[in-house]
Amino acid sequence: MASMLTQFRQLGRKIVAVGRNYRAHAAELGNPVPKKPILFLKPTSSYITEGEKIRIPEECSSLHHEVELGIVISKNGCRISEQEAMNYVGGYVLALDMTARDFQDEAKKKGQPWSLAKGFDTSCPVSNFIDKDTLSDPSNVRLWLKVNNAIKQDGSTSDMIFSIPYLISYISKYFKLEEGDVILTGTPEGVGPVSNGDVIEAGLGDIISMKFTVE
Amino acid sequence: MASMLTQFRQLGRKIVAVGRNYRAHAAELGNPVPKKPILFLKPTSSYITEGEKIRIPEECSSLHHEVELGIVISKNGCRISEQEAMNYVGGYVLALDMTARDFQDEAKKKGQPWSLAKGFDTSCPVSNFIDKDTLSDPSNVRLWLKVNNAIKQDGSTSDMIFSIPYLISYISKYFKLEEGDVILTGTPEGVGPVSNGDVIEAGLGDIISMKFTVE
Ligand SMILES: [Mg+2]
Ligand SMILES: [Mg+2]
Ligand SMILES: [Mg+2]
């Protein structure tokens, strides 16, 4: 099982991401704290891994980093209860939810979808698969991100508004979850722009770190 | 090739949909005619085929039908030119872009993503794969939809604002297209609500028709 899940990028068919799941991050973008999870999709074609570069999409003038904990789903399920939710977690992944903030700001203003702002090619840099047992407490682990060696984000998953079991249960009421799908659980405060040539380094506790260049 | 594409629901990993691609439909929802394509994503987990039922998602009180021509992508491509675009079309599919209109109205008002409104389970009923040669002129074919035998939508793909080659070229600037991916090209005017027990019948010219029940 876990050995197939290491291939989640090929196996999975969707990435369900959660917006504003940390209070301080909702506040820094001037948004209210949500009463229910804000969900959006990124396509699996947006995945890249170390060695591949983050590309600024055409006409984007404000590409932001967001470091997030990703959940890799181990088996198919619908209407999963919170009590059962952790049985559907096969492992984790460290991820960047790269965001064309100017596209997103325009979409928000016009009431249009976020898909282009969030789903462009290279918008989902990810680490290798992290086995479930390696991360004993996903609800209390440090998430950090540096740009050119300066720390920009440094938070803990303990500050999530909606917990991992709650998110799995809520999402699966609407979206059937399938083996290899990934849930991105939101980003702590400190998001900001990156430019051509910048080096982004991110880490999850002392478990894993990864490095990507923007071009 | 075509024989693999008949399995587009299993093979493909994304559905890229286009909003407001017919003037009269943009107008009926009180929206301006877009200057560039409005793109959103539906997950492949939203596909159903005849015999399966359209389910009204939890807390949705206004589920709308939208009949659309779908393009099935035959091979991987990025930054495809308009001139080359039709070489990436492997075939077609008749599709319903079922929409939780109340969820969408709330999302538009709050500047939030459309994903839940557009991507819930059973939100993408589709016909069988239609071979490319069967539909000789995709830019001029009738699209119709009936609810309980009363005609609701009756348009022609000749009224699209952005043509199929333009859409393929535009989308592939941002989203790598992959074999089996589907592009939904927008709906003509006449969208409206359906309720429990309603029967939706839709057709593409005299090429194909399909029937789904709402539950
Ligand atoms: Mg969206
Ligand atoms: Mg995010
Ligand atoms: Mg539509």
Side-chain angles (χ1 to χ4, degrees):
Chain A
M1 167 66 81
S3 63
M4 277 195 65
L5 287 184
T6 61
Q7 307 302 309
F8 68 92
R9 290 182 300 115
Q10 288 75 41
L11 181 66
R13 303 215 294 169
K14 65 179 166 298
I15 304 168
V16 183
V18 182
R20 301 174 206 162
N21 198 27
Y22 289 78
R23 270 183 194 80
H25 168 62
E28 74 181 342
L29 294 182
N31 292 309
V33 170
K35 294 196 177 59
K36 53 190 177 192
I38 296 174
L39 305 182
F40 58 90
L41 297 165
K42 291 168 85 93
T44 56
S45 47
S46 67
Y47 283 132
I48 57 170
T49 55
E50 272 190 306
E52 295 180 278
K53 289 184 172 172
I54 297 170
R55 289 200 324 271
I56 302 174
E58 203 170 301
E59 296 185 47
C60 168
S61 58
S62 180
L63 179 64
H64 272 209
H65 57 77
E66 300 189 353
V67 64
E68 314 209 352
L69 174 65
I71 310 296
V72 182
I73 297 296
S74 61
K75 57 181 180 184
N76 297 3
C78 285
R79 300 173 184 281
I80 300 164
S81 71
E82 271 190 78
Q83 292 66 38
E84 284 291 316
M86 293 308 290
N87 298 332
Y88 289 79
V89 177
Y92 303 93
V93 67
L94 176 63
L96 303 182
D97 172 23
M98 297 303 299
T99 303
R101 195 71 73 198
D102 51 343
F103 291 8
Q104 190 194 27
D105 287 344
E106 189 189 344
K108 284 162 68 175
K109 209 177 320 172
K110 293 186 173 170
Q112 291 184 2
W114 293 12
S115 305
L116 208 60
K118 289 289 197 178
F120 59 87
D121 295 341
T122 78
S123 66
C124 197
V126 287
S127 71
N128 284 336
F129 177 76
I130 299 162
D131 198 81
K132 192 176 181 175
D133 300 332
T134 306
L135 180 55
S136 52
D137 188 2
S139 70
N140 186 16
V141 61
R142 184 180 170 220
L143 269 176
W144 58 267
L145 180 143
K146 294 177 184 177
V147 178
N148 303 332
N149 236 15
I151 191 88
K152 299 291 183 181
Q153 296 189 265
D154 192 357
S156 166
T157 60
S158 62
D159 289 325
M160 283 186 194
I161 297 170
F162 301 106
S163 71
I164 293 170
Y166 186 89
L167 290 173
I168 291 171
S169 178
Y170 181 83
I171 292 168
S172 71
K173 279 201 284 191
Y174 294 100
F175 298 106
K176 176 182 2 180
L177 289 173
E178 296 171 316
E179 187 183 1
D181 285 351
V182 166
I183 297 173
L184 299 185
T185 56
T187 196
E189 66 186 301
V191 304
V194 289
S195 315
N196 216 309
D198 282 352
V199 176
I200 302 176
E201 198 180 345
L204 180 70
D206 54 8
I207 293 168
I208 209 162
S209 72
M210 62 184 188
K211 198 183 278 196
F212 287 90
T213 302
V214 179
E215 77 162 17
Chain B
M1 168 69 78
S3 63
M4 277 195 64
L5 286 184
T6 60
Q7 307 302 310
F8 68 92
R9 289 182 300 112
Q10 289 74 41
L11 181 65
R13 303 215 294 170
K14 64 178 167 296
I15 303 168
V16 183
V18 182
R20 302 174 205 161
N21 198 27
Y22 289 78
R23 269 183 195 77
H25 168 61
E28 75 181 341
L29 293 182
N31 291 309
V33 170
K35 293 196 177 62
K36 54 191 177 192
I38 295 174
L39 304 182
F40 59 90
L41 298 164
K42 292 168 83 94
T44 56
S45 47
S46 66
Y47 283 132
I48 57 170
T49 55
E50 272 189 305
E52 295 178 279
K53 289 184 173 172
I54 297 169
R55 289 200 325 271
I56 301 173
E58 201 170 302
E59 296 185 48
C60 168
S61 58
S62 181
L63 179 64
H64 272 209
H65 56 76
E66 301 190 353
V67 62
E68 314 210 353
L69 174 64
I71 310 296
V72 182
I73 297 297
S74 60
K75 57 182 179 183
N76 297 4
C78 286
R79 302 174 181 279
I80 300 164
S81 70
E82 270 190 79
Q83 291 68 38
E84 284 292 316
M86 293 307 290
N87 297 333
Y88 290 79
V89 177
Y92 303 93
V93 68
L94 176 63
L96 303 182
D97 172 24
M98 297 303 298
T99 303
R101 194 70 72 199
D102 51 343
F103 291 7
Q104 189 194 29
D105 287 343
E106 188 189 346
K108 285 162 68 175
K109 209 178 319 171
K110 294 186 174 171
Q112 290 184 2
W114 293 12
S115 305
L116 208 60
K118 289 289 196 176
F120 58 88
D121 294 343
T122 79
S123 65
C124 197
V126 287
S127 71
N128 284 336
F129 177 77
I130 300 162
D131 198 82
K132 192 175 180 175
D133 301 332
T134 306
L135 180 56
S136 52
D137 189 3
S139 69
N140 186 16
V141 63
R142 184 180 170 220
L143 269 177
W144 58 267
L145 180 142
K146 295 175 183 177
V147 178
N148 302 333
N149 236 16
I151 191 89
K152 299 291 182 181
Q153 296 189 267
D154 193 355
S156 167
T157 59
S158 63
D159 290 324
M160 283 186 195
I161 296 170
F162 300 107
S163 71
I164 293 170
Y166 186 88
L167 290 173
I168 291 172
S169 178
Y170 181 82
I171 292 168
S172 70
K173 279 201 284 190
Y174 294 100
F175 299 105
K176 177 182 0 182
L177 290 172
E178 296 172 316
E179 187 182 2
D181 285 351
V182 166
I183 297 173
L184 299 184
T185 57
T187 196
E189 67 186 299
V191 302
V194 289
S195 315
N196 216 310
D198 282 352
V199 176
I200 302 176
E201 199 181 344
L204 180 72
D206 54 8
I207 293 169
I208 209 163
S209 72
M210 62 184 189
K211 199 182 278 194
F212 288 89
T213 302
V214 180
E215 79 161 14

